[in-house]
Amino acid sequence: MKIRAVVRGVGHYLPERIVENSEFEATLETTDEWIRARTGIERRHFAAEGETTSQLAIKAAEAALRDAGLEASQMDAIVVATSTPDFTFPSVATMVQAGLGSTHGFAYDVQAVCAGFVYALTNANGLIISGQAERVLVIGAETFSRIMDWSDRGTCVLFGDGAGAIVLEAANGAGSNADRGVLSTDLHSDGRYRELLYVDGGVSTNGQAGHLRMQGNAVFKHAVQKLAETAHTALAKIGMSGEDVDWIVPHQANLRIITATAERMQVPMERVVVTVQDHGNTSAASIPLALSVGRDRGQIKTGDLIVTEAIGGGLAWGSVVLRW
Ligand code: UT7
């Protein structure tokens, strides 16, 4: 017997405003064709003025709780992955807790940029298998539109806003790969690569929120190599390989990265959940958004073996294998 962290519910929320690629043609030297061809992105959602990360997170959390048939007060912990919090503090997670009307348990944020959801999921799994929590709400929520430099065509066309959430619950498994729930995790970081992807502002440097800066091509090369590697490692830890995978649910940054990673894992694209065309890169929100959309589309079904993988600023990257 082994305690497993099983997905009980999933949900997402996207802000109302949809921005098509062509809208950028008016202010930047770019084209819809370039953005589609180089990234696979066709459109993204942007939060309305005054609409904050915690508000998106609360809506996604409500959807996931509804799906699970559970109340917020039944969550022992709330973990929010975000790099675009409403405030320096308190955490978005405590704001979500209050917004959901719960005073039970504890709530905190995890910051690992685009790898944030993989880190938060690994962390929540740890809370459950160590017996510290029975039910954990894990959320990825971002408003990256707030840290864009709108004159930098190399970054501002790539990102979008949104939130996704899952409810994890402890369940007894047999201890085999046939169990539902999180089966394997693999996390990495290497702070020597800070300059490749960072925000040029912050509390203890210049007191400003700052703007995202990225050496896209260098990050691309790290992504293609490191994502396949971490997914392989997570699967190998439990004696599995790409052949066993029903769905790769990757971080949605660039369709070319998603395709190259699937190829390296020898998983055909028919078994990859792709949402980047509609959401752009929503950083820590991209995987839970893709899980929720993939489930709604009828792609992800109970019992499917799923691999999630993500990389972002830090660099920080990792992978989680779970049976839905
Ligand atoms: O989620 C966190 C992790 N982040 C990522 O995974 C992002 C990884 N990187 C990427 O997705 C890609 O590197 C980008 C989409 C950012 C860029 O694509 P690329 O194929 O690597 O292009 P590049 O950076 O090598 O640039 C090629 C050309 C450049 O022009 P020159 O120097 O060759 O004349 C850029 O200035 O494309 C130009 N360019 C653009 N052209 C039209 C860059 N952005 C644009 C644009 N529209 N929006």
Side-chain angles (χ1 to χ4, degrees):
M1 288 264 277
K2 195 167 180 175
I3 301 175
R4 297 291 195 187
V6 176
V7 178
R8 264 291 292 269
V10 63
H12 70 272
Y13 179 76
L14 289 157
E16 265 172 43
R17 185 172 164 227
I18 297 172
V19 174
E20 301 287 340
N21 287 347
S22 53
E23 281 198 38
F24 291 101
E25 292 175 359
T27 52
L28 290 169
E29 231 177 90
T30 191
T31 58
D32 174 40
E33 290 75 29
W34 190 95
I35 301 169
R36 275 175 200 252
R38 304 310 292 167
T39 72
I41 298 165
E42 297 172 23
R43 61 194 64 81
R44 72 288 289 141
H45 293 245
F46 284 154
E49 210 181 315
E51 191 175 26
T52 64
T53 296
S54 70
Q55 290 170 9
L56 306 187
I58 288 166
K59 287 184 173 143
E62 285 169 344
L65 287 167
R66 254 195 322 275
D67 188 48
L70 293 168
E71 302 289 327
S73 58
Q74 294 174 282
M75 299 298 113
D76 301 317
I78 300 172
V79 186
V80 177
T82 189
S83 300
T84 46
D86 301 28
F87 299 105
T88 301
F89 72 77
S91 64
V92 171
T94 53
M95 296 175 74
V96 171
Q97 182 192 28
L100 294 173
S102 172
T103 52
H104 175 71
F106 55 96
Y108 58 95
D109 291 354
V110 165
Q111 209 267 51
V113 202
C114 294
F117 189 77
V118 167
Y119 270 64
L121 182 52
T122 299
N123 192 255
N125 179 54
L127 291 176
I128 287 178
I129 62 177
S130 63
Q132 292 176 81
E134 255 188 53
R135 296 194 188 95
V136 185
L137 185 55
V138 191
I139 305 169
E142 303 279 16
T143 47
F144 260 51
S145 63
R146 301 278 150 68
I147 51 167
M148 290 297 109
D149 172 352
W150 298 109
S151 67
D152 177 11
R153 68 177 183 174
T155 54
C156 74
V157 303
L158 304 175
F159 293 89
D161 302 337
I166 61 170
V167 175
L168 286 178
E169 187 174 54
N172 284 322
S176 78
N177 288 347
D179 289 350
R180 287 186 67 200
V182 175
L183 300 177
S184 177
T185 62
D186 184 59
L187 299 182
H188 299 271
S189 63
D190 189 340
R192 289 175 304 169
Y193 296 118
R194 187 189 80 86
E195 295 292 324
L196 299 188
L197 177 50
Y198 65 100
V199 170
D200 63 2
V203 180
S204 79
T205 50
N206 59 6
Q208 289 168 10
H211 294 114
L212 182 144
R213 306 292 172 202
M214 177 166 72
Q215 295 175 35
N217 204 265
V219 175
F220 189 100
K221 286 174 186 153
H222 281 287
V224 169
Q225 185 216 341
K226 290 183 165 58
L227 290 175
E229 238 169 55
T230 181
H232 269 304
T233 304
L235 285 163
K237 283 181 185 177
I238 51 169
M240 296 183 110
S241 71
E243 276 177 20
D244 303 302
V245 173
D246 291 302
W247 293 102
I248 302 178
V249 183
H251 171 48
Q252 311 279 326
N254 186 317
L255 185 59
R256 291 187 294 137
I257 295 174
I258 294 171
T259 309
T261 306
E263 217 166 84
R264 283 179 178 227
M265 289 175 66
Q266 297 183 312
V267 174
M269 282 305 284
E270 295 79 51
R271 291 198 268 132
V272 183
V273 176
V274 180
T275 56
V276 69
Q277 69 281 5
D278 295 326
H279 302 164
N281 181 346
T282 56
S283 190
S286 90
I287 288 174
L289 265 166
L291 286 170
S292 181
V293 169
R295 198 284 306 268
D296 290 352
R297 282 181 190 157
Q299 293 176 309
I300 299 171
K301 296 191 183 69
T302 303
D304 283 352
L305 190 82
I306 292 171
V307 178
T308 63
E309 29 88 348
I311 186 165
L315 294 176
W317 67 101
S319 176
V320 173
V321 181
L322 67 105
R323 193 173 293 286
W324 194 255

